[in-house]
mmCIF file of all heavy atoms in Angstrom:
data_model
loop_
_atom_site.group_PDB
_atom_site.id
_atom_site.type_symbol
_atom_site.label_atom_id
_atom_site.label_comp_id
_atom_site.label_asym_id
_atom_site.label_seq_id
_atom_site.Cartn_x
_atom_site.Cartn_y
_atom_site.Cartn_z
ATOM 1 N N ARG C 66 -6.252 22.088 7.940
ATOM 2 C CA ARG C 66 -6.188 20.700 8.403
ATOM 3 C C ARG C 66 -4.819 20.105 8.087
ATOM 4 O O ARG C 66 -4.188 20.456 7.094
ATOM 5 C CB ARG C 66 -7.291 19.869 7.747
ATOM 6 C CG ARG C 66 -8.670 20.139 8.312
ATOM 7 C CD ARG C 66 -9.741 19.398 7.503
ATOM 8 N NE ARG C 66 -11.036 19.436 8.137
ATOM 9 C CZ ARG C 66 -11.892 20.457 8.035
ATOM 10 N NH1 ARG C 66 -11.571 21.509 7.326
ATOM 11 N NH2 ARG C 66 -13.058 20.404 8.653
ATOM 12 N N ARG C 67 -4.404 19.170 8.941
ATOM 13 C CA ARG C 67 -3.126 18.470 8.752
ATOM 14 C C ARG C 67 -3.255 17.060 9.302
ATOM 15 O O ARG C 67 -4.119 16.792 10.143
ATOM 16 C CB ARG C 67 -1.983 19.213 9.417
ATOM 17 C CG ARG C 67 -2.068 19.268 10.931
ATOM 18 C CD ARG C 67 -0.936 20.051 11.597
ATOM 19 N NE ARG C 67 0.377 19.691 11.148
ATOM 20 C CZ ARG C 67 1.099 18.671 11.608
ATOM 21 N NH1 ARG C 67 0.595 17.882 12.554
ATOM 22 N NH2 ARG C 67 2.302 18.422 11.144
ATOM 23 N N VAL C 68 -2.388 16.155 8.837
ATOM 24 C CA VAL C 68 -2.435 14.751 9.257
ATOM 25 C C VAL C 68 -1.021 14.239 9.483
ATOM 26 O O VAL C 68 -0.109 14.549 8.720
ATOM 27 C CB VAL C 68 -3.100 13.854 8.180
ATOM 28 C CG1 VAL C 68 -3.109 12.397 8.617
ATOM 29 C CG2 VAL C 68 -4.489 14.315 7.857
ATOM 30 N N GLU C 69 -0.869 13.436 10.511
ATOM 31 C CA GLU C 69 0.318 12.606 10.661
ATOM 32 C C GLU C 69 -0.132 11.176 10.406
ATOM 33 O O GLU C 69 -1.090 10.703 11.031
ATOM 34 C CB GLU C 69 0.923 12.725 12.057
ATOM 35 C CG GLU C 69 1.748 13.966 12.235
ATOM 36 C CD GLU C 69 2.663 13.902 13.446
ATOM 37 O OE1 GLU C 69 2.419 13.079 14.364
ATOM 38 O OE2 GLU C 69 3.614 14.691 13.474
ATOM 39 N N VAL C 70 0.516 10.508 9.466
ATOM 40 C CA VAL C 70 0.216 9.113 9.174
ATOM 41 C C VAL C 70 1.303 8.281 9.857
ATOM 42 O O VAL C 70 2.490 8.474 9.608
ATOM 43 C CB VAL C 70 0.179 8.836 7.656
ATOM 44 C CG1 VAL C 70 -0.066 7.363 7.390
ATOM 45 C CG2 VAL C 70 -0.898 9.681 6.993
ATOM 46 N N VAL C 71 0.865 7.388 10.741
ATOM 47 C CA VAL C 71 1.780 6.582 11.551
ATOM 48 C C VAL C 71 1.698 5.135 11.082
ATOM 49 O O VAL C 71 0.613 4.560 11.003
ATOM 50 C CB VAL C 71 1.406 6.674 13.047
ATOM 51 C CG1 VAL C 71 2.337 5.810 13.889
ATOM 52 C CG2 VAL C 71 1.420 8.118 13.514
ATOM 53 N N PHE C 72 2.846 4.554 10.777
ATOM 54 C CA PHE C 72 2.930 3.162 10.370
ATOM 55 C C PHE C 72 3.590 2.387 11.505
ATOM 56 O O PHE C 72 4.733 2.634 11.845
ATOM 57 C CB PHE C 72 3.749 3.015 9.091
ATOM 58 C CG PHE C 72 3.164 3.737 7.925
ATOM 59 C CD1 PHE C 72 3.529 5.045 7.650
ATOM 60 C CD2 PHE C 72 2.233 3.117 7.108
ATOM 61 C CE1 PHE C 72 2.980 5.719 6.573
ATOM 62 C CE2 PHE C 72 1.676 3.785 6.030
ATOM 63 C CZ PHE C 72 2.053 5.090 5.769
ATOM 64 N N LEU C 73 2.825 1.448 12.095
ATOM 65 C CA LEU C 73 3.317 0.625 13.191
ATOM 66 C C LEU C 73 3.602 -0.781 12.698
ATOM 67 O O LEU C 73 2.981 -1.251 11.744
ATOM 68 C CB LEU C 73 2.264 0.532 14.302
ATOM 69 C CG LEU C 73 1.836 1.835 14.957
ATOM 70 C CD1 LEU C 73 0.679 1.573 15.912
ATOM 71 C CD2 LEU C 73 2.994 2.470 15.683
ATOM 72 N N CYS C 74 4.489 -1.475 13.385
ATOM 73 C CA CYS C 74 4.782 -2.859 13.054
ATOM 74 C C CYS C 74 3.535 -3.712 13.238
ATOM 75 O O CYS C 74 2.864 -3.642 14.262
ATOM 76 C CB CYS C 74 5.894 -3.371 13.958
ATOM 77 S SG CYS C 74 6.243 -5.130 13.743
ATOM 78 N N GLY C 75 3.193 -4.492 12.230
ATOM 79 C CA GLY C 75 2.067 -5.411 12.322
ATOM 80 C C GLY C 75 1.628 -5.858 10.950
ATOM 81 O O GLY C 75 2.092 -5.352 9.940
ATOM 82 N N LYS C 76 0.724 -6.836 10.935
ATOM 83 C CA LYS C 76 0.171 -7.305 9.661
ATOM 84 C C LYS C 76 -0.726 -6.240 9.075
ATOM 85 O O LYS C 76 -1.423 -5.524 9.801
ATOM 86 C CB LYS C 76 -0.632 -8.587 9.871
ATOM 87 C CG LYS C 76 0.218 -9.790 10.167
ATOM 88 C CD LYS C 76 -0.638 -11.036 10.271
ATOM 89 C CE LYS C 76 0.211 -12.249 10.561
ATOM 90 N NZ LYS C 76 -0.606 -13.452 10.749
ATOM 91 N N TRP C 77 -0.731 -6.127 7.757
ATOM 92 C CA TRP C 77 -1.575 -5.168 7.054
ATOM 93 C C TRP C 77 -3.025 -5.609 7.206
ATOM 94 O O TRP C 77 -3.423 -6.653 6.714
ATOM 95 C CB TRP C 77 -1.179 -5.095 5.586
ATOM 96 C CG TRP C 77 -2.080 -4.258 4.759
ATOM 97 C CD1 TRP C 77 -2.933 -4.703 3.796
ATOM 98 C CD2 TRP C 77 -2.250 -2.849 4.806
ATOM 99 N NE1 TRP C 77 -3.617 -3.645 3.245
ATOM 100 C CE2 TRP C 77 -3.219 -2.491 3.857
ATOM 101 C CE3 TRP C 77 -1.677 -1.832 5.580
ATOM 102 C CZ2 TRP C 77 -3.626 -1.178 3.636
ATOM 103 C CZ3 TRP C 77 -2.076 -0.532 5.359
ATOM 104 C CH2 TRP C 77 -3.028 -0.226 4.406
ATOM 105 N N LYS C 78 -3.803 -4.816 7.939
ATOM 106 C CA LYS C 78 -5.210 -5.120 8.172
ATOM 107 C C LYS C 78 -6.011 -3.843 7.947
ATOM 108 O O LYS C 78 -6.158 -3.028 8.864
ATOM 109 C CB LYS C 78 -5.419 -5.620 9.604
ATOM 110 C CG LYS C 78 -4.692 -6.915 9.905
ATOM 111 C CD LYS C 78 -4.859 -7.307 11.356
ATOM 112 C CE LYS C 78 -4.042 -8.558 11.659
ATOM 113 N NZ LYS C 78 -4.060 -8.897 13.067
ATOM 114 N N PRO C 79 -6.521 -3.633 6.734
ATOM 115 C CA PRO C 79 -7.244 -2.398 6.445
ATOM 116 C C PRO C 79 -8.395 -2.115 7.406
ATOM 117 O O PRO C 79 -8.730 -0.961 7.642
ATOM 118 C CB PRO C 79 -7.757 -2.609 5.023
ATOM 119 C CG PRO C 79 -6.827 -3.603 4.431
ATOM 120 C CD PRO C 79 -6.415 -4.500 5.570
ATOM 121 N N ARG C 80 -8.986 -3.145 7.968
ATOM 122 C CA ARG C 80 -10.110 -2.921 8.884
ATOM 123 C C ARG C 80 -9.673 -2.395 10.244
ATOM 124 O O ARG C 80 -10.499 -1.984 11.035
ATOM 125 C CB ARG C 80 -10.897 -4.213 9.066
ATOM 126 C CG ARG C 80 -11.602 -4.611 7.800
ATOM 127 C CD ARG C 80 -12.416 -5.841 7.986
ATOM 128 N NE ARG C 80 -12.982 -6.217 6.691
ATOM 129 C CZ ARG C 80 -13.616 -7.320 6.478
ATOM 130 N NH1 ARG C 80 -13.800 -8.176 7.446
ATOM 131 N NH2 ARG C 80 -14.093 -7.595 5.277
ATOM 132 N N GLN C 81 -8.379 -2.421 10.510
ATOM 133 C CA GLN C 81 -7.888 -1.950 11.798
ATOM 134 C C GLN C 81 -7.201 -0.592 11.697
ATOM 135 O O GLN C 81 -6.417 -0.222 12.561
ATOM 136 C CB GLN C 81 -6.953 -2.978 12.414
ATOM 137 C CG GLN C 81 -7.671 -4.238 12.828
ATOM 138 C CD GLN C 81 -6.764 -5.210 13.549
ATOM 139 O OE1 GLN C 81 -5.574 -5.003 13.665
ATOM 140 N NE2 GLN C 81 -7.345 -6.286 14.034
ATOM 141 N N ILE C 82 -7.491 0.159 10.662
ATOM 142 C CA ILE C 82 -6.955 1.508 10.531
ATOM 143 C C ILE C 82 -7.635 2.378 11.583
ATOM 144 O O ILE C 82 -8.841 2.302 11.772
ATOM 145 C CB ILE C 82 -7.205 2.061 9.113
ATOM 146 C CG1 ILE C 82 -6.474 1.197 8.087
ATOM 147 C CG2 ILE C 82 -6.762 3.514 9.023
ATOM 148 C CD1 ILE C 82 -6.839 1.507 6.650
ATOM 149 N N ARG C 83 -6.848 3.196 12.259
ATOM 150 C CA ARG C 83 -7.380 4.065 13.307
ATOM 151 C C ARG C 83 -7.260 5.518 12.884
ATOM 152 O O ARG C 83 -6.227 5.933 12.358
ATOM 153 C CB ARG C 83 -6.589 3.840 14.590
ATOM 154 C CG ARG C 83 -7.425 3.799 15.807
ATOM 155 C CD ARG C 83 -6.671 3.485 17.060
ATOM 156 N NE ARG C 83 -5.288 3.930 17.028
ATOM 157 C CZ ARG C 83 -4.307 3.362 17.697
ATOM 158 N NH1 ARG C 83 -4.547 2.323 18.438
ATOM 159 N NH2 ARG C 83 -3.091 3.817 17.633
ATOM 160 N N VAL C 84 -8.303 6.311 13.098
ATOM 161 C CA VAL C 84 -8.290 7.743 12.825
ATOM 162 C C VAL C 84 -8.666 8.461 14.112
ATOM 163 O O VAL C 84 -9.702 8.171 14.710
ATOM 164 C CB VAL C 84 -9.294 8.117 11.715
ATOM 165 C CG1 VAL C 84 -9.270 9.613 11.448
ATOM 166 C CG2 VAL C 84 -8.993 7.347 10.423
ATOM 167 N N THR C 85 -7.814 9.396 14.543
ATOM 168 C CA THR C 85 -8.117 10.209 15.714
ATOM 169 C C THR C 85 -7.915 11.680 15.362
ATOM 170 O O THR C 85 -7.209 12.013 14.401
ATOM 171 C CB THR C 85 -7.221 9.843 16.923
ATOM 172 O OG1 THR C 85 -5.852 10.024 16.552
ATOM 173 C CG2 THR C 85 -7.448 8.409 17.363
ATOM 174 N N GLU C 86 -8.542 12.548 16.138
ATOM 175 C CA GLU C 86 -8.390 13.996 15.979
ATOM 176 C C GLU C 86 -8.018 14.558 17.357
ATOM 177 O O GLU C 86 -8.857 15.053 18.092
ATOM 178 C CB GLU C 86 -9.691 14.613 15.468
ATOM 179 C CG GLU C 86 -9.566 16.059 15.073
ATOM 180 C CD GLU C 86 -10.846 16.636 14.479
ATOM 181 O OE1 GLU C 86 -11.874 15.921 14.398
ATOM 182 O OE2 GLU C 86 -10.819 17.816 14.102
ATOM 183 N N PRO C 87 -6.698 14.457 17.709
ATOM 184 C CA PRO C 87 -6.274 14.861 19.048
ATOM 185 C C PRO C 87 -6.535 16.342 19.344
ATOM 186 O O PRO C 87 -6.827 16.702 20.473
ATOM 187 C CB PRO C 87 -4.785 14.548 19.097
ATOM 188 C CG PRO C 87 -4.392 14.079 17.757
ATOM 189 C CD PRO C 87 -5.607 13.923 16.914
ATOM 190 N N THR C 88 -6.405 17.186 18.323
ATOM 191 C CA THR C 88 -6.779 18.589 18.443
ATOM 192 C C THR C 88 -7.578 18.945 17.200
ATOM 193 O O THR C 88 -7.466 18.275 16.164
ATOM 194 C CB THR C 88 -5.548 19.523 18.564
ATOM 195 O OG1 THR C 88 -4.736 19.380 17.406
ATOM 196 C CG2 THR C 88 -4.737 19.203 19.809
ATOM 197 N N GLN C 89 -8.362 19.999 17.302
ATOM 198 C CA GLN C 89 -9.231 20.366 16.186
ATOM 199 C C GLN C 89 -8.415 20.596 14.912
ATOM 200 O O GLN C 89 -7.395 21.285 14.921
ATOM 201 C CB GLN C 89 -10.012 21.632 16.530
ATOM 202 C CG GLN C 89 -11.081 21.950 15.528
ATOM 203 C CD GLN C 89 -11.954 23.113 15.980
ATOM 204 O OE1 GLN C 89 -11.684 23.772 16.964
ATOM 205 N NE2 GLN C 89 -13.006 23.346 15.233
ATOM 206 N N LEU C 90 -8.838 19.972 13.818
ATOM 207 C CA LEU C 90 -8.247 20.068 12.480
ATOM 208 C C LEU C 90 -6.877 19.392 12.371
ATOM 209 O O LEU C 90 -6.179 19.549 11.377
ATOM 210 C CB LEU C 90 -8.145 21.518 12.009
ATOM 211 C CG LEU C 90 -9.447 22.322 12.018
ATOM 212 C CD1 LEU C 90 -9.188 23.753 11.571
ATOM 213 C CD2 LEU C 90 -10.498 21.669 11.148
ATOM 214 N N SER C 91 -6.487 18.635 13.373
ATOM 215 C CA SER C 91 -5.219 17.909 13.349
ATOM 216 C C SER C 91 -5.514 16.430 13.591
ATOM 217 O O SER C 91 -6.032 16.058 14.636
ATOM 218 C CB SER C 91 -4.292 18.454 14.435
ATOM 219 O OG SER C 91 -3.052 17.796 14.380
ATOM 220 N N TYR C 92 -5.180 15.580 12.621
ATOM 221 C CA TYR C 92 -5.562 14.178 12.634
ATOM 222 C C TYR C 92 -4.342 13.282 12.716
ATOM 223 O O TYR C 92 -3.247 13.643 12.294
ATOM 224 C CB TYR C 92 -6.330 13.824 11.355
ATOM 225 C CG TYR C 92 -7.566 14.650 11.139
ATOM 226 C CD1 TYR C 92 -7.486 15.917 10.577
ATOM 227 C CD2 TYR C 92 -8.813 14.168 11.508
ATOM 228 C CE1 TYR C 92 -8.626 16.691 10.379
ATOM 229 C CE2 TYR C 92 -9.963 14.927 11.316
ATOM 230 C CZ TYR C 92 -9.856 16.189 10.749
ATOM 231 O OH TYR C 92 -10.980 16.947 10.562
ATOM 232 N N VAL C 93 -4.572 12.072 13.231
ATOM 233 C CA VAL C 93 -3.561 11.015 13.205
ATOM 234 C C VAL C 93 -4.241 9.778 12.634
ATOM 235 O O VAL C 93 -5.289 9.352 13.118
ATOM 236 C CB VAL C 93 -3.018 10.703 14.619
ATOM 237 C CG1 VAL C 93 -2.045 9.528 14.566
ATOM 238 C CG2 VAL C 93 -2.347 11.934 15.219
ATOM 239 N N ILE C 94 -3.667 9.246 11.554
ATOM 240 C CA ILE C 94 -4.162 8.010 10.952
ATOM 241 C C ILE C 94 -3.092 6.946 11.180
ATOM 242 O O ILE C 94 -1.928 7.151 10.830
ATOM 243 C CB ILE C 94 -4.452 8.180 9.450
ATOM 244 C CG1 ILE C 94 -5.524 9.257 9.243
ATOM 245 C CG2 ILE C 94 -4.892 6.851 8.834
ATOM 246 C CD1 ILE C 94 -5.810 9.573 7.784
ATOM 247 N N THR C 95 -3.492 5.825 11.786
ATOM 248 C CA THR C 95 -2.537 4.785 12.158
ATOM 249 C C THR C 95 -2.814 3.506 11.372
ATOM 250 O O THR C 95 -3.936 3.019 11.349
ATOM 251 C CB THR C 95 -2.625 4.495 13.669
ATOM 252 O OG1 THR C 95 -2.429 5.726 14.372
ATOM 253 C CG2 THR C 95 -1.573 3.497 14.099
#
Side-chain angles (χ1 to χ4, degrees):
R66 285 173 170 83
R67 66 182 311 276
V68 179
E69 281 197 340
V70 177
V71 179
F72 299 91
L73 300 173
C74 175
K76 288 184 180 176
W77 174 249
K78 297 176 184 174
R80 292 182 184 172
Q81 292 185 355
I82 298 170
R83 221 176 30 208
V84 180
T85 59
E86 189 176 2
T88 60
Q89 189 173 8
L90 305 178
S91 182
Y92 302 82
V93 176
I94 299 176
T95 305

